Amino acid sequence: MKRILKAAILGATGLVGIEYARMLSEHPYIKPAYLAGKNSVGRPYGEIVRWQTVGQVPKEVRDMEVKPTDPKLMDDVDIIFSPLPQGAAGPVEEQFAKLGFPVISNSPDHRFDPDVPLLIPEVNPHTVSLIDEQKKRRDWKGFIVTTPLCTAQGAAIPLSPIYMNFKMNGAYITTIQSLSGAGYPGIPSLDIVDNILPLGDAYDAKTIKEVTRILGEVKRNIGEPSMQEVSLAATTHRIATIHGHYEVSYVTFKEDTEVSKVREVLDNFRGEPQDLKLPTAPEKPIITMNEDNRPQVYFDRWAGNPPGMSIVVGRLKQINNRTIRMVSLIHNTIRGAAGGGILSAELLKEKGYIE
Amino acid sequence: MKRILKAAILGATGLVGIEYARMLSEHPYIKPAYLAGKNSVGRPYGEIVRWQTVGQVPKEVRDMEVKPTDPKLMDDVDIIFSPLPQGAAGPVEEQFAKLGFPVISNSPDHRFDPDVPLLIPEVNPHTVSLIDEQKKRRDWKGFIVTTPLCTAQGAAIPLSPIYMNFKMNGAYITTIQSLSGAGYPGIPSLDIVDNILPLGDAYDAKTIKEVTRILGEVKRNIGEPSMQEVSLAATTHRIATIHGHYEVSYVTFKEDTEVSKVREVLDNFRGEPQDLKLPTAPEKPIITMNEDNRPQVYFDRWAGNPPGMSIVVGRLKQINNRTIRMVSLIHNTIRGAAGGGILSAELLKEKGYIE
Amino acid sequence: MKRILKAAILGATGLVGIEYARMLSEHPYIKPAYLAGKNSVGRPYGEIVRWQTVGQVPKEVRDMEVKPTDPKLMDDVDIIFSPLPQGAAGPVEEQFAKLGFPVISNSPDHRFDPDVPLLIPEVNPHTVSLIDEQKKRRDWKGFIVTTPLCTAQGAAIPLSPIYMNFKMNGAYITTIQSLSGAGYPGIPSLDIVDNILPLGDAYDAKTIKEVTRILGEVKRNIGEPSMQEVSLAATTHRIATIHGHYEVSYVTFKEDTEVSKVREVLDNFRGEPQDLKLPTAPEKPIITMNEDNRPQVYFDRWAGNPPGMSIVVGRLKQINNRTIRMVSLIHNTIRGAAGGGILSAELLKEKGYIE
Amino acid sequence: MKRILKAAILGATGLVGIEYARMLSEHPYIKPAYLAGKNSVGRPYGEIVRWQTVGQVPKEVRDMEVKPTDPKLMDDVDIIFSPLPQGAAGPVEEQFAKLGFPVISNSPDHRFDPDVPLLIPEVNPHTVSLIDEQKKRRDWKGFIVTTPLCTAQGAAIPLSPIYMNFKMNGAYITTIQSLSGAGYPGIPSLDIVDNILPLGDAYDAKTIKEVTRILGEVKRNIGEPSMQEVSLAATTHRIATIHGHYEVSYVTFKEDTEVSKVREVLDNFRGEPQDLKLPTAPEKPIITMNEDNRPQVYFDRWAGNPPGMSIVVGRLKQINNRTIRMVSLIHNTIRGAAGGGILSAELLKEKGYIE
């Protein structure tokens, strides 16, 4: 029987924090033990949290007091989940890692440190070995592991098995993303009612940068993020959906490639989490649909088990001999953030990085 | 001074019908003279119409009685605008054309008759000569001219000057369309709140079919709609916007092509309507924007003068040497329907097909 | 141990039907055994249902085939849940009752038959005795019990204990209701984006008529629905929320009445379902909130256990000595329909009407 | 012929500022001459403004440079329109008034100064005489006049003629307000999608406080804001509409009152602006509708001429002998702010306070 791991959730009242609280309340061996916040310290979590997800605040966390983000108060904590916002996250995460805590971060601040994994457990599990280098180089007892941007995961998870199995040339992506990806208060309502909000060049670029690194790691050794051979582009938007990032990709190939074979590869895709039967690993990381009006955000974002951990892929179509169209849908705060973080922790425990 | 033309609007209470009524109320020489409807015959137009557009019902049409769709009552009508729905439109339009009326149709029923123009006045004005063949072959005194699907126009208008000026290879399009494109009652609200609705294979296909024909006509003789050399694909969706179709296109080329030159071509694009100074012709059929968060549906769909007659193109970006990204926004019920119809009528008058 | 009851759900693919399917899949002794539908007969339920609720289609019903609404195929069915639409429901429900089935109806068709209970189990449980009269008068082996309109329940549940305990004079109600209350396809999207849709005189009137009858039954003998002494008014609307009816009531009294006492009465309200510990009875039928920005539809509609079975009441305020303001929020398809139906069935079983 | 008045618009890029810019661009004798802003000083107005209203930025203001809020730069300005936010407005407005400028404020900061009018030109025009006292008491060459909160105007305009003509006892109001009333960025999108946002006790209270003062001034001398005899209550909310505040009022009377007479009084209501034929005065300040599904926000908020200057009242109904139900709809940024401000300026000019 596994030892119970006690988890601290930083930013526990945020949109990703609540999914950590919800999922860990049902986790077999990682328990929510410390809910860190900023503006509501001292208040019972269940009273002050904006529960912008399914169900109600679980009894496991409802009466827990929100506490400050202070390592000195976390003596018995085994693992830190950090969905802190950009800029705020970086120094805090370093502080914790230095003190010996394993830190799983959903924040961008350390994603491109060369000794920090950018981990999707099914896709690039071998990159966890960067931790050894990280601890050594920085003389840390703990470490930082990051998960990619939700948008990047929505593209990278289905593109990885395609890139692995076919001579992929590039992907031209258009995203239609949900509001929760921007946090709270996030997007002003007047930007989104009867409108589409383009996220702009910077957001497009960071999506591509992350997908490029992940694809680069799929086939290769670690630490060679540059990948000239693939041409990626993303045009990113938000609309008035609450959860779920929807992404249309036109994928091009260097040789004739049949859509039926691509579908087969996607259907059969499994990774280490599935082999290891990790508790948060969905049976199928990618679920394909055939109906020509699916996936739909409202109906399909909670796909998989645990709900929201599977990417749904649909609208697979042969555009021409060397181009295939694909739509993917990811639950951005589950698979794209909290769920991805928990699955990462499970993998790290299995591999001995968390004890 | 031009003779006043009296126009009948079929389906005058529909979402395109109201734009005809609004625009013709301000037109210098085409007047709304007959408002045809189905369920509200005998009632004053201003009392029963759902005015889902800007402003209020113009005084020119407010007190007009809605009348039946009956050619016998239209003795003094010079021109028929028909935004009737698919299926209903076909036979009615034939009946009118046979009786000698010029019919401008926004309906799909006759769009692929080989002797019927699929007209965008700036793009393929020479195709109006099909009318001669049409009248002769069918022994009609009148004729039918169609305008393309709003979605197809949103892509075809900017792609046309690109196709004309560069060695274009293909375009991979993703659309995010508004509710008014589906008419009323149209899309159920439970399909669209907190959701994205894929329009499916049939809608994707008809978009591509129309864009293909239009591009084919840009450079060539009339009546050769097949065009194997260009690879087009569309993935179409609706979301909860009221007006305005937003389309992301990745355009590929057979040789290296610079985005700055593409922008220049789009900026300088003019057509016969501009040369002829037709009253409904916008000064620029295509307005380009540079801000990386534009165009936005809410703010840019009414671009141009008359409002809604210009396509807005933005997010122009060099993806790689032979690929360019472009976003276009079209007001679907104006440029994509009623405004396009009125501009077509003006061109036909100028060319002597309407007297 | 209770005998398992096999339930048929008529209209099983509708918005109330899916809540029956979801809730019965977890029910201790009522099992979903027959899913009746119209357009998808022969198809697996999980494949064709629009699952416009939380979670995913439960495994208990996922593979069940949708069957016709035919009593001859329902030999082993013990109970019929009928959320059929108005007009369609009436004759079908009579047919089933005549053949001996207990029918729990969420439809309006029989709500005002003088021998048919309009049942809210916590409020007017004694009205189930109408069943005896019904069976006798109609010579039926089975019977029909109805649940009130969701909107009427949202008002009647909190008004009942107020009416019971204070000299209430009237209530002036304004509702802001969700889309699911109108079924699917229901409200056209163009009626609701950037709009408020008034439901009109007929909807206002039926709400008041039902609340009046229910309040009449709270204190009195059965079968005296007229109640001149209370003045009720409702102004009803829909907006673009998916689930949850929000209702603002100004309640007036014949004598000075303190809001603190009204709150106490609401807090302490319990009914027979709570005394009998019926499985679908929430611990508290009414949950009161104190925050001045609650209840909120998104965050509070799933209140109670089972989720959605408690009404949330907030914004209690003394307007003047004889007027109190109150806001109530009801999950229209759970407490207001399927959940109310299941709770009714549990009460009927307990009282021996279903065996 | 009237002398042209040059106007400065403070906060010219805000949601009320843009309506000032739009309306003054078409005004016969008040011209937009100075556009003051904060973050975009030095930039052309047309380039940086978020034009969240109809049409496009008028050519009269498109190329004007945004300038600082500095009286020293406004030598040739005749009138100041101040839709500055609460807190920021107060001291700035005082500074301008002290220097001799007439200031028309849409801000709450001075609304309850006893010598400052809270002006609705049709309702309490006699209160402009407070200006004399204000200038004298404060030894100012200029002055401040305020307009009420948009929500308060939506109730007060129709209640005023009712209060004037009938023995009104009270009004129980429920509002469903639009997003633009909260400014930009204003309401976070995650508060409003699939939700209703209660505005809370403070907002309810300020609405009532203002309506109370205005009604008090309707019949009486100036400066007696307390009015015990009428019982008012408001429950205020926002939903995802862009413009237009919708308000349901149950109005009670001290004696039997017929709805037909109330309708007549509302229909015939005119004020000084109509008598004086002020350019921004709508022919009818209140337009009544009879259809039981009107007013609707999307279709009726632009009522009147200039558009948005008329309040629409509908759903008039006799609830009981002494209670009448009424729905009113006000365009919050036009009649409720910029339009009300311009109409106030016209009245002040006519009465000699602005020269």
Side-chain angles (χ1 to χ4, degrees):
Chain A
M1 190 197 144
K2 291 229 168 44
R3 184 172 82 82
I4 293 299
L5 293 175
K6 292 186 175 170
I9 305 168
L10 311 189
T13 61
L15 282 157
V16 175
I18 60 174
E19 298 294 355
Y20 273 118
R22 188 179 63 76
M23 292 181 80
L24 294 179
S25 290
E26 300 178 354
H27 199 278
Y29 61 82
I30 310 180
K31 295 295 173 196
Y34 191 102
L35 304 179
K38 200 172 161 188
N39 298 320
S40 34
V41 167
R43 302 281 306 280
Y45 185 70
E47 273 181 27
I48 52 83
V49 72
R50 273 184 103 255
W51 196 249
Q52 200 134 26
T53 181
V54 285
Q56 295 170 267
V57 185
K59 61 180 190 307
E60 285 83 355
V61 293
R62 199 182 301 148
D63 301 323
M64 286 179 67
E65 200 179 278
V66 177
K67 292 185 183 159
T69 309
D70 183 349
K72 289 194 293 292
L73 302 173
M74 301 192 198
D75 268 358
D76 61 346
V77 163
D78 299 300
I79 182 166
I80 307 288
F81 292 107
S82 168
L84 289 177
Q86 183 163 15
V92 169
E93 292 168 1
E94 287 181 38
Q95 181 193 19
F96 276 95
K98 207 168 179 177
L99 290 169
F101 291 95
V103 177
I104 312 285
S105 168
N106 308 106
S107 159
D109 289 354
H110 291 290
R111 276 186 196 145
F112 283 88
D113 291 6
D115 56 356
V116 170
L118 183 66
L119 183 64
I120 301 175
E122 283 91 342
V123 168
N124 57 356
H126 57 293
T127 62
V128 301
S129 68
L130 284 173
I131 295 173
D132 304 319
E133 190 190 330
Q134 183 190 143
K135 293 173 83 165
K136 194 168 155 192
R137 188 197 290 185
R138 308 197 188 203
D139 195 22
W140 283 354
K141 278 177 286 180
F143 60 85
I144 298 172
V145 165
T146 63
T147 69
L149 180 67
C150 43
T151 317
Q153 292 196 55
I157 294 179
L159 287 178
S160 290
I162 294 175
Y163 183 63
M164 193 67 152
N165 287 280
F166 302 95
K167 292 203 183 308
M168 189 177 123
N169 191 49
Y172 303 128
I173 304 167
T174 298
T175 77
I176 315 177
Q177 303 179 216
S178 68
L179 301 171
S180 63
Y184 180 86
I187 306 297
S189 52
L190 286 169
D191 276 339
I192 217 74
V193 176
D194 194 10
N195 201 19
I196 297 165
L197 190 68
L199 295 180
D201 293 338
Y203 200 102
D204 293 353
K206 72 181 172 187
T207 301
I208 289 313
K209 188 180 174 196
E210 295 195 16
V211 176
T212 303
R213 171 168 166 188
I214 295 161
L215 291 187
E217 290 174 347
V218 165
K219 287 197 204 168
R220 302 179 185 201
N221 298 328
I222 299 166
E224 300 181 18
S226 80
M227 190 186 59
Q228 266 74 36
E229 78 214 46
V230 174
S231 175
L232 296 168
T235 312
T236 58
H237 310 85
R238 275 192 219 288
I239 63 159
T241 48
I242 295 179
H243 295 298
H245 289 0
Y246 180 101
E247 314 191 10
V248 179
S249 297
Y250 291 100
V251 189
T252 61
F253 297 88
K254 293 180 178 23
E255 59 183 22
D256 291 3
T257 304
E258 279 179 37
V259 68
S260 61
K261 299 220 166 117
V262 170
R263 178 191 303 274
E264 205 183 310
V265 159
L266 291 168
D267 269 337
N268 294 330
F269 177 58
R270 301 290 185 279
E272 277 196 47
Q274 283 70 36
D275 294 342
L276 296 168
K277 295 187 189 303
L278 300 180
T280 302
E283 191 195 344
K284 302 179 69 168
I286 296 169
I287 293 173
T288 62
M289 297 187 82
N290 295 312
E291 298 88 336
D292 81 338
N293 66 348
R294 301 290 279 271
Q296 284 185 33
V297 171
Y298 188 88
F299 296 100
D300 299 313
R301 59 192 163 193
W302 293 98
N305 187 9
M309 284 302 290
S310 291
I311 303 267
V312 179
V313 169
R315 308 305 312 282
L316 282 163
K317 186 182 156 78
Q318 191 90 40
I319 301 302
N320 55 44
N321 290 344
R322 299 190 172 189
T323 309
I324 283 167
R325 191 262 318 272
M326 161 180 95
V327 165
S328 60
L329 171 63
I330 183 172
H331 195 301
N332 52 299
T333 55
I334 313 275
R335 166 53 85 162
I342 296 170
L343 188 62
S344 296
E346 293 167 1
L347 184 74
L348 291 167
K349 182 173 164 59
E350 203 65 37
K351 288 181 177 286
Y353 289 96
I354 301 175
E355 283 160 35
Chain B
M1 192 196 146
K2 290 228 169 44
R3 184 172 83 82
I4 294 299
L5 293 175
K6 292 187 176 168
I9 305 169
L10 312 189
T13 61
L15 282 156
V16 175
I18 61 175
E19 298 296 354
Y20 273 118
R22 189 180 63 76
M23 294 182 78
L24 293 180
S25 290
E26 300 178 353
H27 199 278
Y29 61 81
I30 310 180
K31 296 297 174 197
Y34 192 102
L35 304 178
K38 199 171 160 189
N39 298 320
S40 34
V41 168
R43 301 281 306 280
Y45 185 69
E47 272 180 29
I48 53 84
V49 71
R50 275 183 102 254
W51 196 249
Q52 200 135 26
T53 182
V54 286
Q56 296 170 268
V57 185
K59 60 179 188 308
E60 286 82 355
V61 293
R62 198 182 302 147
D63 301 324
M64 287 177 65
E65 200 178 279
V66 177
K67 293 185 184 159
T69 309
D70 182 349
K72 288 193 293 291
L73 303 173
M74 301 191 198
D75 267 357
D76 61 347
V77 164
D78 299 301
I79 181 167
I80 307 289
F81 292 108
S82 167
L84 290 177
Q86 183 162 16
V92 170
E93 292 168 0
E94 286 180 40
Q95 181 193 18
F96 276 95
K98 207 167 179 178
L99 290 169
F101 292 94
V103 177
I104 313 285
S105 167
N106 308 108
S107 159
D109 290 353
H110 291 290
R111 276 186 195 144
F112 283 89
D113 288 8
D115 55 356
V116 170
L118 183 66
L119 183 65
I120 302 175
E122 284 91 343
V123 169
N124 57 355
H126 57 295
T127 62
V128 302
S129 68
L130 283 172
I131 295 172
D132 303 320
E133 190 190 329
Q134 184 191 141
K135 293 172 83 164
K136 193 168 152 192
R137 188 196 291 185
R138 307 196 188 205
D139 194 22
W140 282 355
K141 279 177 285 180
F143 59 84
I144 298 172
V145 165
T146 63
T147 70
L149 180 67
C150 43
T151 317
Q153 291 196 55
I157 293 178
L159 287 178
S160 290
I162 295 175
Y163 182 63
M164 193 68 152
N165 287 279
F166 303 95
K167 292 202 183 309
M168 190 178 122
N169 192 48
Y172 303 126
I173 304 168
T174 299
T175 76
I176 315 177
Q177 303 179 215
S178 67
L179 301 172
S180 63
Y184 180 83
I187 307 295
S189 52
L190 287 169
D191 275 338
I192 217 73
V193 176
D194 194 12
N195 201 19
I196 297 165
L197 188 68
L199 296 180
D201 293 339
Y203 200 102
D204 294 354
K206 72 180 172 187
T207 301
I208 289 314
K209 187 181 175 196
E210 295 195 16
V211 176
T212 303
R213 170 168 167 187
I214 296 161
L215 291 186
E217 290 174 346
V218 165
K219 287 196 204 168
R220 303 182 185 198
N221 298 329
I222 300 167
E224 301 182 16
S226 79
M227 190 185 61
Q228 265 75 38
E229 79 214 44
V230 174
S231 173
L232 297 167
T235 314
T236 58
H237 310 85
R238 278 194 217 286
I239 64 160
T241 48
I242 296 179
H243 296 298
H245 290 359
Y246 181 100
E247 313 192 12
V248 179
S249 297
Y250 290 100
V251 189
T252 61
F253 298 89
K254 292 180 179 21
E255 62 185 18
D256 290 4
T257 304
E258 280 179 37
V259 69
S260 61
K261 300 221 165 117
V262 170
R263 178 191 303 276
E264 208 183 309
V265 158
L266 291 168
D267 269 337
N268 295 330
F269 177 58
R270 301 290 184 281
E272 278 197 46
Q274 283 71 37
D275 294 342
L276 296 169
K277 296 188 190 303
L278 300 179
T280 302
E283 192 194 343
K284 302 179 69 168
I286 296 170
I287 293 173
T288 64
M289 298 188 81
N290 295 312
E291 298 89 334
D292 81 338
N293 66 348
R294 300 291 279 273
Q296 285 184 32
V297 170
Y298 188 87
F299 296 101
D300 299 313
R301 59 190 160 193
W302 293 98
N305 188 9
M309 283 302 290
S310 291
I311 303 267
V312 179
V313 168
R315 310 303 312 282
L316 281 163
K317 186 182 156 79
Q318 190 91 39
I319 300 304
N320 56 42
N321 291 344
R322 299 190 174 189
T323 309
I324 283 167
R325 191 263 317 272
M326 162 180 94
V327 165
S328 60
L329 171 63
I330 183 172
H331 195 304
N332 51 300
T333 53
I334 312 275
R335 166 54 86 161
I342 296 170
L343 189 60
S344 296
E346 293 166 1
L347 184 73
L348 291 168
K349 181 173 164 60
E350 203 66 36
K351 288 181 178 284
Y353 288 97
I354 301 176
E355 284 160 37
Chain C
M1 191 196 145
K2 289 228 169 45
R3 183 171 83 83
I4 294 298
L5 293 175
K6 292 186 177 169
I9 305 169
L10 312 189
T13 61
L15 283 156
V16 174
I18 60 175
E19 298 295 355
Y20 273 118
R22 189 180 62 75
M23 294 181 78
L24 293 180
S25 290
E26 300 178 354
H27 199 279
Y29 61 83
I30 310 181
K31 295 297 174 196
Y34 191 102
L35 303 178
K38 200 171 159 188
N39 298 320
S40 33
V41 168
R43 302 282 306 279
Y45 185 70
E47 273 180 29
I48 54 85
V49 71
R50 275 184 102 253
W51 197 250
Q52 200 135 26
T53 182
V54 286
Q56 297 170 268
V57 185
K59 59 180 189 309
E60 286 82 354
V61 293
R62 198 182 301 148
D63 301 324
M64 287 177 65
E65 198 180 281
V66 177
K67 293 185 184 159
T69 308
D70 182 350
K72 288 193 293 291
L73 303 172
M74 301 192 198
D75 266 358
D76 60 346
V77 164
D78 299 301
I79 182 168
I80 307 288
F81 292 107
S82 168
L84 290 177
Q86 184 163 14
V92 170
E93 292 169 1
E94 286 180 41
Q95 181 193 19
F96 276 95
K98 207 166 178 178
L99 289 169
F101 292 95
V103 177
I104 313 286
S105 167
N106 308 107
S107 158
D109 290 353
H110 291 290
R111 277 186 194 144
F112 282 90
D113 289 8
D115 56 356
V116 171
L118 183 66
L119 183 64
I120 302 175
E122 284 91 342
V123 168
N124 57 356
H126 56 294
T127 61
V128 300
S129 68
L130 283 173
I131 295 173
D132 303 320
E133 191 189 328
Q134 184 191 141
K135 293 173 82 164
K136 193 168 152 192
R137 189 195 291 185
R138 307 195 189 206
D139 194 22
W140 283 355
K141 279 177 283 180
F143 59 85
I144 299 171
V145 165
T146 64
T147 70
L149 180 67
C150 43
T151 317
Q153 291 196 55
I157 293 178
L159 287 178
S160 290
I162 294 175
Y163 182 64
M164 192 68 151
N165 287 279
F166 303 94
K167 292 201 183 310
M168 189 178 124
N169 191 48
Y172 303 128
I173 303 167
T174 299
T175 76
I176 315 177
Q177 303 178 216
S178 66
L179 301 172
S180 63
Y184 180 84
I187 306 296
S189 52
L190 286 169
D191 276 338
I192 216 74
V193 176
D194 194 12
N195 201 19
I196 298 165
L197 188 69
L199 296 180
D201 293 338
Y203 199 102
D204 294 354
K206 73 180 171 187
T207 301
I208 289 314
K209 188 180 174 196
E210 294 194 17
V211 177
T212 302
R213 171 169 167 188
I214 295 161
L215 291 186
E217 291 174 346
V218 165
K219 286 195 203 169
R220 302 182 186 199
N221 298 329
I222 300 167
E224 301 182 15
S226 78
M227 190 186 60
Q228 266 73 39
E229 79 214 44
V230 175
S231 173
L232 297 168
T235 313
T236 58
H237 310 86
R238 277 193 218 286
I239 63 160
T241 49
I242 295 178
H243 295 298
H245 289 0
Y246 181 99
E247 314 193 10
V248 180
S249 297
Y250 290 100
V251 189
T252 63
F253 297 89
K254 293 180 176 25
E255 63 184 18
D256 290 5
T257 303
E258 281 180 36
V259 68
S260 61
K261 300 222 164 115
V262 169
R263 179 191 302 277
E264 208 184 309
V265 159
L266 291 168
D267 270 337
N268 294 330
F269 177 59
R270 300 290 184 281
E272 278 197 47
Q274 284 71 37
D275 295 343
L276 295 169
K277 296 187 189 302
L278 300 179
T280 302
E283 192 195 343
K284 302 179 68 167
I286 296 170
I287 293 174
T288 63
M289 298 188 81
N290 294 312
E291 298 89 336
D292 81 337
N293 66 348
R294 300 291 280 272
Q296 284 184 34
V297 170
Y298 188 87
F299 296 101
D300 299 313
R301 58 190 162 194
W302 294 98
N305 188 9
M309 283 302 290
S310 291
I311 303 267
V312 179
V313 169
R315 309 305 311 283
L316 281 162
K317 186 182 157 77
Q318 192 90 40
I319 299 304
N320 56 42
N321 290 345
R322 299 191 172 187
T323 309
I324 283 167
R325 192 263 316 275
M326 162 179 94
V327 165
S328 60
L329 171 63
I330 183 172
H331 196 303
N332 51 300
T333 53
I334 312 275
R335 166 55 85 161
I342 296 170
L343 189 61
S344 296
E346 293 167 1
L347 184 73
L348 290 168
K349 181 172 164 59
E350 203 65 36
K351 288 181 177 284
Y353 288 97
I354 300 175
E355 282 160 37
Chain D
M1 191 195 145
K2 291 230 168 45
R3 184 172 82 82
I4 294 298
L5 293 175
K6 292 185 176 171
I9 305 168
L10 311 189
T13 61
L15 282 157
V16 175
I18 60 175
E19 298 294 356
Y20 273 119
R22 188 180 61 79
M23 293 181 79
L24 294 180
S25 290
E26 301 178 353
H27 198 277
Y29 60 82
I30 310 180
K31 295 295 172 196
Y34 191 103
L35 304 179
K38 201 172 161 189
N39 298 321
S40 34
V41 167
R43 302 280 306 280
Y45 185 70
E47 273 181 28
I48 52 83
V49 70
R50 274 183 103 254
W51 197 250
Q52 201 135 26
T53 181
V54 286
Q56 295 170 267
V57 185
K59 60 179 190 307
E60 285 82 355
V61 293
R62 199 181 301 148
D63 301 324
M64 286 178 67
E65 200 179 277
V66 178
K67 294 184 182 160
T69 309
D70 182 349
K72 289 194 292 292
L73 302 172
M74 302 192 197
D75 268 358
D76 61 346
V77 163
D78 299 300
I79 181 167
I80 308 288
F81 291 107
S82 168
L84 289 176
Q86 184 163 16
V92 169
E93 292 169 0
E94 287 180 39
Q95 181 193 18
F96 276 95
K98 208 168 177 177
L99 289 168
F101 291 95
V103 178
I104 313 285
S105 167
N106 308 107
S107 160
D109 290 354
H110 291 290
R111 276 187 196 144
F112 282 90
D113 290 7
D115 56 356
V116 170
L118 183 66
L119 183 63
I120 301 175
E122 283 91 342
V123 168
N124 57 356
H126 57 293
T127 62
V128 301
S129 68
L130 283 172
I131 295 173
D132 304 319
E133 191 190 329
Q134 184 191 140
K135 293 173 84 164
K136 193 168 153 192
R137 189 196 289 184
R138 309 196 187 203
D139 195 22
W140 281 356
K141 278 177 285 179
F143 60 85
I144 298 171
V145 164
T146 63
T147 70
L149 178 68
C150 43
T151 318
Q153 292 197 55
I157 294 178
L159 287 178
S160 291
I162 294 175
Y163 182 62
M164 193 66 151
N165 288 279
F166 302 95
K167 293 203 184 307
M168 190 178 123
N169 192 49
Y172 303 127
I173 304 167
T174 298
T175 76
I176 314 177
Q177 303 178 215
S178 68
L179 301 171
S180 64
Y184 181 84
I187 307 297
S189 52
L190 286 169
D191 277 338
I192 217 73
V193 176
D194 194 11
N195 200 18
I196 298 165
L197 189 68
L199 295 180
D201 293 338
Y203 200 103
D204 293 353
K206 73 181 173 187
T207 301
I208 289 313
K209 188 180 174 195
E210 294 195 17
V211 176
T212 303
R213 171 168 166 188
I214 295 161
L215 290 187
E217 290 174 348
V218 165
K219 287 197 206 167
R220 302 180 185 201
N221 298 329
I222 299 166
E224 299 181 19
S226 78
M227 189 186 59
Q228 267 74 37
E229 78 215 46
V230 175
S231 174
L232 297 168
T235 312
T236 57
H237 310 85
R238 276 194 219 287
I239 63 160
T241 48
I242 295 180
H243 295 298
H245 289 0
Y246 181 100
E247 314 191 11
V248 180
S249 297
Y250 290 100
V251 189
T252 61
F253 297 89
K254 292 180 180 19
E255 61 183 21
D256 290 4
T257 303
E258 279 180 37
V259 68
S260 61
K261 300 220 165 115
V262 170
R263 178 192 302 274
E264 205 183 311
V265 159
L266 292 167
D267 269 338
N268 294 330
F269 177 59
R270 301 290 184 282
E272 277 196 47
Q274 283 71 36
D275 294 342
L276 296 168
K277 295 185 190 304
L278 300 179
T280 302
E283 191 196 344
K284 302 180 69 168
I286 296 169
I287 293 173
T288 62
M289 297 187 82
N290 295 312
E291 297 88 338
D292 81 339
N293 66 347
R294 301 291 279 272
Q296 284 185 34
V297 170
Y298 189 87
F299 296 100
D300 299 313
R301 58 191 163 193
W302 294 98
N305 186 9
M309 283 301 291
S310 292
I311 304 267
V312 179
V313 168
R315 309 303 313 281
L316 281 162
K317 186 182 156 77
Q318 191 90 40
I319 301 302
N320 55 42
N321 291 344
R322 299 191 173 189
T323 308
I324 283 167
R325 190 263 317 275
M326 162 180 95
V327 165
S328 60
L329 171 63
I330 183 172
H331 196 302
N332 51 300
T333 54
I334 312 273
R335 166 53 84 162
I342 296 169
L343 189 62
S344 296
E346 293 167 1
L347 184 73
L348 291 167
K349 182 173 164 60
E350 203 66 36
K351 288 180 177 285
Y353 288 97
I354 301 175
E355 284 161 34

